[in-house]
Every structure is written in structure tokens, then in C-alpha cells.
Amino acid sequence: MSKRNTFFHNLIKPFKFSPSKEGQSEVEEIKNLAAQEQKIFPYETLVAATNKFHILNKLGEGGFGPVYKGKLNDGREIAVKKLSHRSNQGKTQFVNEAKLLARVQHRNVVSLFGYCTHGFEKLLVYEYVLHESLDKLLFKSHKKEQLDWKRRFDIINGVARGLLYLHEDSHNCIIHRDIKASNILLDENWVPKIADFGLARLFPEDQTHVNTRVAGTNGYLAPEYLMHGHLTVKADVFSYGVLVLELVSGQRNSSFDMDVSAQNLVDWAYRLYKKGRALEIVDPTLASSVVAEQAEMCIQLGLLCTQGNQDLRPSMGRVMVILSKKPPCHMEEPTRPGIAGSRYRRRVSRGRRPSATTSGEVDDDSSVNSQTFDSSSNYGTNTTTSATTPTTRSSNTTAEVVDRRGKRPMQGG
Ligand SMILES: Nc1ncnc2c1ncn2[C@@H]1O[C@H](COP(=O)(O)OP(=O)(O)OP(=O)(O)O)[C@@H](O)[C@H]1O
């Protein structure tokens, strides 16, 4: 090769992709790159770490499949999530998405150590988080005492920090879409860690799934997301607000029964707040530990986050500013809360459009027979969109990495 040709060859070399000089496919190259970043786990390593995915190592089963506890040779404890086989997503894209998520690093977000593909199997490898998820402590009368006010306030702060990171400081803006007590794990120092972030990226919607389900998490869904599929960071802010009020009150928003005249916890809190009696929602278990000014501030903050008008909800940046101030701190007056949505797994028949009620609930009596609440549909994805436009795939359907105005640069599927 002449000097001149060598020069051009070197110039274009880095842009050559598939197949490369060594005959590597694009997938292999990505695999090798990831391996260098130590993100790929050989299947055999995970089999050994979990004792062949032994039932005794099963931590539980969520919407994406079973989760197993494991221990690596280097001593690290891991949680291995075996994704169920519903996705028809290609391997390359799965690897790319998993790589993206594995770069998300924050004290208040569960670390994704890496991933593995093996035949049809797709697995995610997380850091193991010692304590149970928040819901298992907060809503169990014999356990909630472990969560005194300081711990709850720290959790409110920690989750806000984690969400701020996902929304504003990670490589892409990541909208979680499924913030709820069961997705907050607590480590050995009670540091809250947001789990299940970005999982919808690994399970993009496709036409065949669109008409079969409405994903579901009770009581945390922002009304505009539920009713119109309108997804922005403010949907997470809404769910965060519900979580804050749950932490202060020890009550589950979805199964609230403290006051028959109130529709749910958020509504109850708002009514009492308007009467100047906000502190009445505070969990009696906190009687000896609560700092009243902080609790008052958190209630107002929770109400600001759950306002029906998403434009009035604070950003997570503003939430952090509020939380960092010593009470009493000046805050906006919360306006009417939106009614938190519930999503149920149901079969939506083609051609039949469920109507959305003013409460934000999707009213579809055709679903009654097949309405089996099932967290396995819990991708936090296109609930409303699929419910209202069952045969098309909306541009909102798979987005949780979007820009701050709700547009998404990357398309799954
Ligand atoms: N990194 C982890 N460390 C320790 N336990 C975990 C970890 N990730 C998940 N678990 C446990 O595994 C179980 C299943 O978790 P998963 O996140 O799959 O579902 P879920 O949050 O319970 O339900 P859903 O999918 O409906 O949100 C839960 O009991 C959870 O506490």
C-alpha cells in the first residue's frame, strides 16, 4: 500500500464497523467492548453464583421475571433478574440498552453491575440490597416502627436525590415511570435506592403487545400520563409526591380508608391541609420521633408534587432546594391534587375503546372478566395509550429516556 493509501486507510479504519478486519460481527464487537468495561457476565458465572438459580435463592418475582440472590467469586453479593421471554427485542439492542443503564451510577439508585445473554435468556445483574423494599416495612404494622421520623425523612431526601440524578444528571434524562414504595430498596444503612429504573427500555412495546395489556401500579400514576399517555418528568414528580405522603402518614394511597369522605390519601391530606390541620395525617407510630416542622414541610411538598396541573408541580431540582432549607421554608400554595391513577392488567379488545373517567381511572367494563391485577405488566409503559388507541404504537409508548419536555431521542423496539 502506498504511503498515501495507508494514510486514508488509517483515517477510515475507526469508522468501519461490520464486519471488522478481524471478521468480528457488530454484536461481537459490542460484546467485547462491554466485556472490557466488565459489564458482561458469562452465564456460567451466574449459574454458579445463584446455585443454579436455586429456589432457596429466589428473592421474589416481579413484573419482569424472577429475581435470585447470588454471590460472585470476588465476594460481591448480587441480585440476578431473569427477564421473562415476552420481548421480541433484538439482542444487540438489549445489550446496548443494558450498557446505557449500567452507566447509571448514584448512591440512591440500585447499581446495575452488568448483564448476560444466553440463548433466549436475558439477565440483569444488580448490586444486592440488604433490607426489604420500603413497602414491606412501611405498610406492616409490626415493622413500621423500624422507620422512625429520621429514617423516613432521610428516605424522602435520598429518593429525591436519586430522581434528580435520573432526570437531570445521568447521561440521558431517564423517567422512571414506576416510582412506588416497592421499588425503593433500603441498604444496610437504610439508604434508599431506586430500583427498576429504565426497565421499559429493555422491554419495548410492539404491535403485538399493545392491545393485550394495561400495565399497573396502584395509586401512583400521574393523571395526565394515565389518561393521555403524556409522559414527562412531572409524572415521576407526581409519584414521588404520593410516596412522600405515604412516608409521612404510613398509609397506602391505593388502599386508603381513614376517611370515607376522602377519595384517597392525597385527597385526605389536601383537605386537612386546607383546614390548617395537615399534621393530623402524621403516622401515630411517629409520635415520639417526628419533627413537626419537617413533617409539615413534607406534607406541603407532597401536595405540591401531586397537583393536578403538572406545570405547577416542582421539578426534582426545586424539590431538593425545598428539602435543603430549614423549615419553615417558603413554598408555593398547593392547588388541587390530581387523582392518582390505577392501572390494571386487563385485556383490551381490538376496536373497543375504554373510556377514561374524570377520576383518571380507565373505565372499561369489558375488562371485568379478565381483570387480573398482575404486576407482570408493570413496565410502566403505554397504559393509556394502549387503552385508548389499541392498534397503534404511540411515540410515547416506550419512552422513559426522553428530553425534559417529554420528547424522546431514542426509540425502543
Ligand atoms: N437489587 C436487589 N437486592 C435485593 N433484593 C432485590 C433486588 N432487586 C429486587 N429484589 C427483590 O426481588 C423481589 C422482586 O423484585 P422486582 O423488582 O422484580 O419486583 P417488584 O418490585 O416486587 O414488583 P414489580 O415488578 O411489580 O415492581 C422483591 O422482593 C425485591 O425486594
Side-chain angles (χ1 to χ4, degrees):
M1 209 182 290
S2 70
K3 236 180 176 181
R4 193 186 151 90
N5 279 348
T6 312
F7 172 75
F8 280 117
H9 178 77
N10 286 339
L11 198 67
I12 61 167
K13 207 164 60 175
F15 300 104
K16 280 196 167 177
F17 220 128
S18 178
S20 71
K21 205 172 80 185
E22 294 75 23
Q24 279 182 325
S25 70
E26 184 181 339
V27 175
E28 282 168 336
E29 284 193 5
I30 290 169
K31 263 186 164 180
N32 289 345
L33 269 174
Q36 283 161 21
E37 293 169 26
Q38 297 182 327
K39 301 295 188 202
I40 279 191
F41 284 84
Y43 188 67
E44 301 67 41
T45 304
L46 301 182
V47 170
T50 58
N51 192 13
K52 299 184 186 144
F53 300 104
H54 198 281
I55 188 78
L56 290 178
N57 285 332
K58 191 167 166 181
L59 290 166
E61 178 138 7
F64 291 89
V67 183
Y68 297 87
K69 186 180 176 186
K71 193 167 188 175
L72 297 171
N73 281 340
D74 63 11
R76 276 186 296 172
E77 291 194 305
I78 54 174
V80 182
K81 193 171 278 201
K82 262 184 150 183
L83 301 183
S84 47
H85 294 175
R86 281 176 303 242
S87 171
N88 63 359
Q89 184 188 29
K91 198 166 169 178
T92 310
Q93 190 184 352
F94 170 81
V95 170
N96 284 337
E97 301 291 7
K99 270 178 77 174
L100 182 93
L101 297 179
R103 288 163 70 196
V104 171
Q105 297 283 344
H106 189 272
R107 182 171 191 257
N108 298 112
V109 178
V110 175
S111 288
L112 180 64
F113 284 157
Y115 51 88
C116 165
T117 56
H118 176 75
F120 289 114
E121 303 259 34
K122 291 168 184 162
L123 305 100
L124 295 171
V125 183
Y126 293 94
E127 69 172 307
Y128 174 73
V129 184
L130 182 76
H131 280 301
E132 292 175 297
S133 49
L134 177 59
D135 62 318
K136 291 180 190 152
L137 294 168
L138 186 59
F139 303 128
K140 298 265 159 64
S141 51
H142 61 291
K143 288 193 173 174
K144 59 162 61 178
E145 276 166 19
Q146 293 180 56
L147 293 173
D148 63 8
W149 175 251
K150 185 181 176 316
R151 281 193 184 147
R152 294 193 201 190
F153 191 56
D154 287 348
I155 292 169
I156 288 170
N157 274 280
V159 175
R161 264 185 241 113
L163 266 180
L164 175 64
Y165 170 79
L166 291 177
H167 288 179
E168 294 184 17
D169 299 330
S170 58
H171 311 276
N172 300 75
C173 167
I174 297 177
I175 299 180
H176 187 289
R177 302 204 286 190
D178 206 9
I179 290 294
K180 56 178 178 174
S182 68
N183 273 339
I184 307 300
L185 303 179
L186 299 166
D187 79 2
E188 61 277 19
N189 299 314
W190 302 91
V191 173
K193 304 211 172 232
I194 299 172
D196 278 7
F197 60 93
L199 275 183
R201 288 199 67 78
L202 303 167
F203 259 104
E205 286 302 294
D206 58 59
Q207 291 272 343
T208 56
H209 286 109
V210 167
N211 67 336
T212 59
R213 69 117 191 292
V214 173
T217 292
N218 274 322
Y220 292 89
L221 274 186
E224 75 282 357
Y225 177 37
L226 180 76
M227 294 180 71
H228 308 296
H230 184 58
L231 180 67
T232 69
V233 289
K234 295 297 181 75
D236 278 353
V237 171
F238 184 94
S239 309
Y240 172 78
V242 175
L243 185 72
V244 168
L245 293 172
E246 289 185 333
L247 276 157
V248 174
S249 67
Q251 298 289 321
R252 228 188 248 276
N253 191 40
S254 57
S255 54
F256 175 79
D257 59 2
M258 296 289 285
D259 181 345
V260 283
S261 63
Q263 297 190 45
N264 55 28
L265 168 65
V266 179
D267 183 35
W268 184 53
Y270 182 72
R271 286 164 188 240
L272 286 171
Y273 172 85
K274 286 309 252 183
K275 292 178 189 156
R277 293 159 45 197
L279 281 175
E280 286 180 30
I281 77 160
V282 174
D283 187 346
T285 320
L286 296 172
S288 59
S289 63
V290 73
V291 179
E293 299 80 26
Q294 282 179 351
E296 227 164 0
M297 179 185 78
C298 288
I299 294 166
Q300 193 170 343
L301 177 66
L303 290 172
L304 282 175
C305 292
T306 51
Q307 291 175 101
N309 182 346
Q310 58 168 326
D311 296 332
L312 297 178
R313 292 175 211 149
S315 66
M316 288 314 297
R318 169 85 183 124
V319 168
M320 279 314 304
V321 169
I322 291 170
L323 286 171
S324 64
K325 287 194 175 144
K326 266 203 153 155
C329 102
H330 176 73
M331 265 187 267
E332 303 80 355
E333 267 302 297
T335 57
R336 272 201 168 284
I339 303 300
S342 300
R343 295 178 294 185
Y344 292 89
R345 168 173 262 219
R346 66 186 67 179
R347 210 156 270 280
V348 179
S349 52
R350 266 182 203 275
R352 170 116 198 237
R353 294 184 177 208
S355 58
T357 66
T358 47
S359 71
E361 303 269 345
V362 174
D363 173 23
D364 176 19
D365 56 8
S366 72
S367 68
V368 171
N369 289 337
S370 57
Q371 184 175 316
T372 50
F373 179 73
D374 182 342
S375 64
S376 70
S377 60
N378 210 5
Y379 310 167
T381 50
N382 61 333
T383 49
T384 317
T385 318
S386 65
T388 52
T389 44
T391 54
T392 54
R393 177 176 172 160
S394 153
S395 60
N396 273 338
T397 55
T398 63
E400 75 299 321
V401 176
V402 297
D403 77 14
R404 277 143 193 97
R405 292 181 306 280
K407 293 183 187 146
R408 69 190 176 123
M410 300 173 73
Q411 176 99 25

